[in-house]
Amino acid sequence: MATFFGEVVAAPSRAGEDEAEEAEREETPEDREIRRELEKKREVHILWSSKLSASAGSFTDEQFPCSKFILAVGHNAVAFLSSFVLNSGCWEAVGSVKLWNEWCRTSNTTCVLPTDAFCLFYKLISDPTVLLCQCSCYVAEDQQFQWLEKVFGCMREEDLQVTILSTCPVTDYKTPESTLTLPSPFLKALKTKEFKETVCCPLLEQPNIVQDLPAAVLSYCQVWQIPAVLYQCYTDVIKLDTVTIEAFKPVLSSKNLKSLVKDISKSTEMLKKLVTTSEIHNNIYT
């Protein structure tokens, strides 16, 4: 306490005491066991089917050739791929991700609803080097490196091109203008240095950033010099939404997806059914 007006008094601090207490407190065997069990529970497991290895032929080091890897993160991006890409060709499920965290637990089945948390891999039957991933589950920060290591660790990365689709709240978009005046939803692109193709929408401006699994995948591709592009849709609708899904349509003209899409009219019908199914499922459990 000051004894006169204007006296400089050092504020009391327990920093030194806290450090001393931390040093004295050692991790008990029970603490270590709990930590090990939690780390084990949060492990990411990639389950590849025998169909993938059979289609890859004789590959070494448990790696399969992959020329195109298309990743959709989030329900709206997943619904877009389901309606416009998976619905346009002959694909088969060849793998899944099993993970657990505070926000989700993936399903063990490939027969999933639009509202389920899942991460599934599909290969194009006519060209097994084309791999597609639908990821509607949340991959926590401490699980992202495992996901990258186990997914990309199985691919031969020569001549590989990566396309990522994701959604983000429009309130996360940084602009001098008011976000209320923006024509939501809208699409922005972010690419690695090695990606030389023309992007299908304006590039994401600074100081905007991307987060979570899409950012982790793009960063991995940048480090390992893999051509990759992220198309991020900024939207003001959180749930599965037809307008948000159709905002990805410009991506259909990209080199990686153009050859995979056939009849857009049938895809639009499929999209309506998908959204209707999701709405019915949500109404049952609300």
Side-chain angles (χ1 to χ4, degrees):
M1 179 180 293
T3 56
F4 60 89
F5 181 76
E7 181 183 5
V8 177
V9 180
S13 173
R14 295 189 65 244
E17 297 176 15
D18 291 340
E19 291 175 3
E21 290 175 6
E22 186 69 26
E24 291 175 3
R25 187 173 66 247
E26 295 181 359
E27 190 178 37
T28 65
E30 291 80 8
D31 292 336
R32 286 194 293 271
E33 182 64 23
I34 291 171
R35 179 170 52 79
R36 281 195 296 266
E37 288 296 322
L38 186 58
E39 289 175 354
K40 185 177 180 180
K41 193 173 183 179
R42 296 180 71 89
E43 286 181 1
V44 176
H45 300 278
I46 311 292
L47 309 174
W48 298 112
S49 72
S50 57
K51 296 177 183 178
L52 182 63
S53 57
S55 64
S58 57
F59 59 92
T60 59
D61 300 326
E62 298 182 350
Q63 289 186 325
F64 54 85
C66 187
S67 61
K68 297 178 183 178
F69 180 51
I70 304 163
L71 168 66
V73 182
H75 288 297
N76 283 300
V78 164
F80 173 77
L81 284 190
S82 293
S83 303
F84 291 93
V85 180
L86 287 179
N87 190 47
S88 294
C90 295
W91 300 76
E92 65 177 335
V94 292
S96 62
V97 173
K98 185 178 180 182
L99 62 83
W100 173 94
N101 56 51
E102 296 85 352
W103 295 99
C104 81
R105 179 178 298 174
T106 56
S107 173
N108 291 328
T109 178
T110 56
C111 300
V112 293
L113 292 168
T115 51
D116 289 342
F118 59 88
C119 187
L120 301 176
F121 295 90
Y122 299 86
K123 71 167 184 179
L124 185 62
I125 295 177
S126 60
D127 184 359
T129 67
V130 178
L131 191 68
L132 183 149
C133 176
Q134 293 183 307
C135 184
S136 69
C137 64
Y138 174 72
V139 183
E141 287 186 7
D142 62 314
Q143 297 174 316
Q144 291 170 9
F145 179 75
Q146 294 182 61
W147 193 98
L148 293 167
E149 190 177 45
K150 294 181 179 181
V151 172
F152 283 94
C154 293
M155 300 179 189
R156 288 181 186 169
E157 297 176 358
E158 297 88 354
D159 301 321
L160 171 63
Q161 284 211 346
V162 177
T163 302
I164 312 158
L165 309 177
S166 71
T167 54
C168 183
V170 70
T171 51
D172 288 354
Y173 183 69
K174 294 177 175 60
T175 173
E177 306 172 20
S178 170
T179 53
L180 297 174
T181 62
L182 293 174
S184 175
F186 58 92
L187 209 60
K188 293 288 182 178
L190 192 62
K191 61 179 183 176
T192 63
K193 186 178 179 181
E194 288 71 26
F195 187 84
K196 304 301 181 182
E197 305 293 333
T198 303
V199 294
C200 306
C201 65
L203 291 172
L204 185 64
E205 310 91 336
Q206 294 182 347
N208 287 286
I209 60 172
V210 294
Q211 301 178 26
D212 300 325
L213 185 61
V217 174
L218 199 65
S219 297
Y220 178 93
C221 293
Q222 177 67 27
V223 170
W224 292 101
Q225 300 180 342
I226 300 171
V229 59
L230 165 64
Y231 291 104
Q232 183 150 277
C233 178
Y234 288 87
T235 178
D236 54 3
V237 181
I238 299 175
K239 65 178 184 178
L240 202 62
D241 173 59
T242 305
V243 178
T244 300
I245 296 168
E246 290 186 335
F248 284 106
K249 274 188 174 181
V251 182
L252 297 177
S253 63
S254 66
K255 184 179 179 181
N256 274 3
L257 272 73
K258 190 175 183 179
S259 60
L260 304 177
V261 180
K262 296 178 181 178
D263 193 343
I264 294 182
S265 61
K266 290 183 178 180
S267 299
T268 304
E269 293 176 10
M270 175 65 179
L271 174 59
K272 291 178 181 178
K273 292 179 182 178
L274 199 64
V275 174
T276 302
T277 303
S278 175
E279 289 174 350
I280 293 172
H281 184 264
N282 281 331
N283 288 338
I284 292 174
Y285 293 99
T286 54

